[in-house]
Amino acid sequence: MNITKENIDALNAVVKVDIVAGDYQKKVTELLTDYRKKADIPGFRKGHVPMGMIKKQYGKSIMIDEVNKLLQESLNKFLAEEKLDILGNPIPRIKENFDWDAETFSFEFELGLVPEFEIDLSQKNKIKQYNIVATDSLIDEEVKNIQTRYGKMSSLDEATEHSNVTGTFINEEKEINKKSTFLVNDLKGKKNEKKVIGAKVGDVIALETKKLFEDDHKLEQILGVAHDVIHDLDITVTFTVEDITKTEPADLDKELFDKLFADGSVTTVTELREKIKEDAEKQFQQQGDQQLLNAITEYLVENTKFDLPSEFLQKWLATAGEKPLTADEAEAEYKKSEKGLRYQLIEGKIMKDNDIKLEYAELVEYAKGFIRTQMAQFGNMNPEEKELEDIAGRILQNQEEAQKLQSQLISQKLLGFFKEKISFKTKEVSYEDFIKEVYK
């Protein structure tokens, strides 16, 4: 057997594999002999069927199977030994005059090669990093929410500006039938408030969904409508009033602080506000980090220039899936995935050049941290270590879940690396301004 590689250009190559009878004949003979021992053919005793008959009936199919196995094994070994970085999988070149009765077989495979390129992380202040702070107004709002959450509720005969109204929203055409509760002064505009203020249990009110609440996402939650349609939803819904209540805010005193922080870490309003600010900014940091990673990704993809074997990749995409694609479909799929592929190559090079690795033990610890957070949300603050390890082991046996956690941990490692190596342009903003500026 002989394997050779010919470079077409920097991004494309062809591997040629020549196979002769001596490469596979011994194995084929062994298989035919074994098959002869087991063959049960009418007119012959078991194990005494003439070898000529066995060869005639099964020789060619066994030979083809063995050649294909040998071909795949040899190609994979060659790619590994030559340390070839390839994109996709080798694509066999189809020969119209190929003959399985020939003395020798010659196969050719097209390869798409990973391009060589450099990554520049030295540019200063090209990428914006947001420092998101909790403003006094946001803290005021959260204090108010806490007081309401722990306040005393009483029933009212009719709705007022500050009452909670519970009822069912219905629109048959959009299949809306949702029981929800809202605060009357969360409604947008005096016209809508007027319709609800003074309403009693049993009243049916017609409301227009367009600009019903200050925040469209509140409407999404209250009506149970999909996120992608809520902004353009302009229909009439009927609202049947079922309950009207008013909440007396809880006092900001020791009783409330003890309910919120059993460890005694908060004893004054000032300490409560500081705790709210600290917790809020931790959450904001997560969103800021995600935005920063997105910005770095965009910057690297836009500013790291290299060519890809696009023709090869489109040809590979046409045959890689369960369903073959047309040339136009493969081109569209390539355009859709090109940006992700470019970042995948950039990410891989950064990790290789800077020896950024992911050990399985790290992944287990990361999974345990994720599980610990989930369990805390359900009140289990101190799970046993063995319990965490058992759950982590089960999760990591699921390939899809393991890949998801692995991707998250790699992103975390890379973000830490980028923060060390890149100089950012930092901007301090409120959470509200961050949302407006980043998500438009």
Side-chain angles (χ1 to χ4, degrees):
M1 181 166 50
N2 186 41
I3 305 181
T4 56
K5 177 175 74 75
E6 178 189 353
N7 288 330
I8 306 302
D9 53 40
L11 299 173
N12 295 274
V14 173
V15 170
K16 186 177 180 182
V17 184
D18 294 321
I19 296 177
V20 298
D23 297 322
Y24 60 83
Q25 194 59 61
K26 182 181 177 182
K27 183 65 175 176
V28 170
T29 301
E30 288 176 1
L31 289 168
L32 287 171
T33 301
D34 186 58
Y35 197 89
R36 184 187 178 216
K37 292 175 184 177
K38 299 174 183 176
D40 190 1
I41 298 176
F44 298 94
R45 283 186 299 145
K46 191 172 183 178
H48 290 76
V49 180
M51 180 56 87
M53 182 178 289
I54 295 294
K55 283 183 177 180
K56 186 175 181 181
Q57 289 190 348
Y58 307 107
K60 191 168 187 176
S61 62
I62 289 175
M63 180 269 289
I64 291 172
D65 283 345
E66 283 308 305
V67 169
N68 281 323
K69 285 180 189 176
L70 180 62
L71 177 62
Q72 195 60 56
E73 289 169 3
S74 303
L75 181 61
N76 290 339
K77 185 179 178 182
F78 177 79
L79 295 176
E81 288 177 347
E82 294 292 313
K83 296 180 180 178
L84 292 175
D85 286 330
I86 65 171
L87 296 170
N89 292 316
I91 300 175
R93 282 183 170 176
I94 307 301
K95 293 184 177 180
E96 292 184 7
N97 59 347
F98 187 84
D99 183 9
W100 281 108
D101 293 321
E103 288 293 317
T104 61
F105 305 118
S106 183
F107 302 91
E108 290 184 352
F109 294 87
E110 296 178 34
L111 303 181
L113 305 177
V114 171
E116 292 186 4
F117 56 92
E118 295 300 323
I119 301 169
D120 183 8
L121 300 177
S122 64
Q123 296 298 314
K124 293 184 178 181
N125 301 328
K126 296 287 186 182
I127 303 168
K128 191 182 290 185
Q129 180 181 25
Y130 290 91
N131 178 27
I132 311 168
V133 296
T135 60
D136 286 341
S137 61
L138 183 144
I139 297 169
D140 290 341
E141 188 65 29
E142 184 55 27
V143 170
K144 182 180 171 184
N145 289 338
I146 290 171
Q147 288 182 278
T148 301
R149 203 178 312 138
Y150 288 89
K152 294 177 182 177
M153 193 173 288
S154 57
S155 295
L156 296 177
D157 292 329
E158 63 178 46
T160 67
E161 183 182 355
H162 301 290
S163 61
N164 305 299
V165 182
T166 300
T168 302
F169 290 89
I170 292 176
N171 180 286
E172 292 183 0
E173 182 187 349
K174 297 293 183 181
E175 298 182 345
I176 295 171
N177 189 326
K178 182 82 161 44
K179 184 174 181 176
S180 299
T181 300
F182 62 89
L183 188 62
V184 174
N185 58 12
D186 279 345
L187 292 167
K188 187 172 184 178
K190 295 293 180 184
K191 183 179 177 182
N192 288 321
E193 274 193 12
K194 251 185 198 179
K195 288 184 179 181
V196 178
I197 292 174
K200 298 179 180 179
V201 172
D203 286 354
V204 179
I205 306 167
L207 296 168
E208 305 298 322
T209 59
K210 192 73 172 175
K211 297 181 179 177
L212 183 58
F213 292 96
E214 292 288 347
D215 183 0
D216 280 342
H217 297 101
K218 188 170 185 67
L219 182 64
E220 174 187 345
Q221 178 187 352
I222 282 175
L223 297 184
V225 177
H227 175 78
D228 57 346
V229 300
I230 196 67
H231 296 290
D232 298 318
L233 191 66
D234 188 5
I235 59 173
T236 301
V237 291
T238 60
F239 176 68
T240 303
V241 181
E242 297 172 19
D243 192 25
I244 305 167
T245 59
K246 183 180 180 182
T247 303
E248 290 294 337
D251 292 331
L252 296 171
D253 56 15
K254 185 177 185 304
E255 182 183 350
L256 177 61
F257 300 148
D258 288 346
K259 284 180 183 176
L260 293 169
F261 305 97
D263 60 357
S265 59
V266 171
T267 58
T268 66
V269 174
T270 300
E271 289 174 350
L272 174 64
R273 293 178 67 85
E274 288 172 354
K275 181 67 174 170
I276 291 170
K277 180 178 175 66
E278 179 188 339
D279 290 347
E281 290 181 353
K282 277 182 184 176
Q283 293 183 25
F284 298 160
Q285 180 68 45
Q286 292 176 6
Q287 284 187 265
D289 281 348
Q290 185 58 58
Q291 182 279 330
L292 179 60
L293 188 58
N294 292 343
I296 294 169
T297 300
E298 290 287 339
Y299 176 82
L300 290 175
V301 170
E302 290 298 320
N303 293 276
T304 306
K305 303 298 182 184
F306 55 84
D307 292 326
L308 288 170
S310 56
E311 189 176 327
F312 168 85
L313 288 169
Q314 289 176 49
K315 193 184 295 187
W316 173 67
L317 285 169
T319 58
E322 293 181 9
K323 181 185 174 185
L325 303 179
T326 65
D328 288 343
E329 288 172 337
E331 182 181 6
E333 186 64 28
Y334 172 72
K335 287 179 179 177
K336 193 163 60 176
S337 59
E338 182 185 357
K339 195 172 182 180
L341 174 59
R342 286 182 178 276
Y343 183 68
Q344 194 176 2
L345 293 173
I346 292 168
E347 181 184 271
K349 181 173 175 59
I350 288 173
M351 292 184 72
K352 182 179 178 182
D353 290 352
N354 296 279
D355 199 29
I356 301 172
K357 295 175 182 175
L358 181 59
E359 305 292 344
Y360 182 73
E362 291 179 287
L363 188 58
V364 171
E365 287 303 311
Y366 184 77
K368 283 161 63 177
F370 175 77
I371 297 159
R372 194 179 285 111
T373 302
Q374 294 290 100
M375 294 175 82
Q377 291 177 1
F378 293 95
N380 188 350
M381 307 303 291
N382 295 296
E384 295 287 334
E385 188 67 18
K386 187 176 186 311
E387 183 182 14
L388 289 172
E389 287 180 358
D390 289 346
I391 297 172
R394 289 198 297 272
I395 288 175
L396 295 176
Q397 284 176 1
N398 181 313
Q399 189 175 2
E400 188 176 334
E401 288 298 321
Q403 285 179 342
K404 190 189 299 181
L405 290 172
Q406 181 175 309
S407 177
Q408 291 171 1
L409 184 51
I410 287 173
S411 293
Q412 197 177 89
K413 280 176 167 273
L414 283 170
L415 184 60
F417 170 79
F418 291 140
K419 283 183 175 181
E420 287 181 8
K421 298 296 182 182
I422 301 176
S423 296
F424 303 110
K425 180 182 179 181
T426 303
K427 182 176 183 180
E428 187 172 288
V429 292
S430 68
Y431 181 68
E432 186 179 40
D433 288 342
F434 171 77
I435 294 297
K436 285 179 182 176
E437 189 166 327
V438 173
Y439 299 104
K440 305 294 185 285

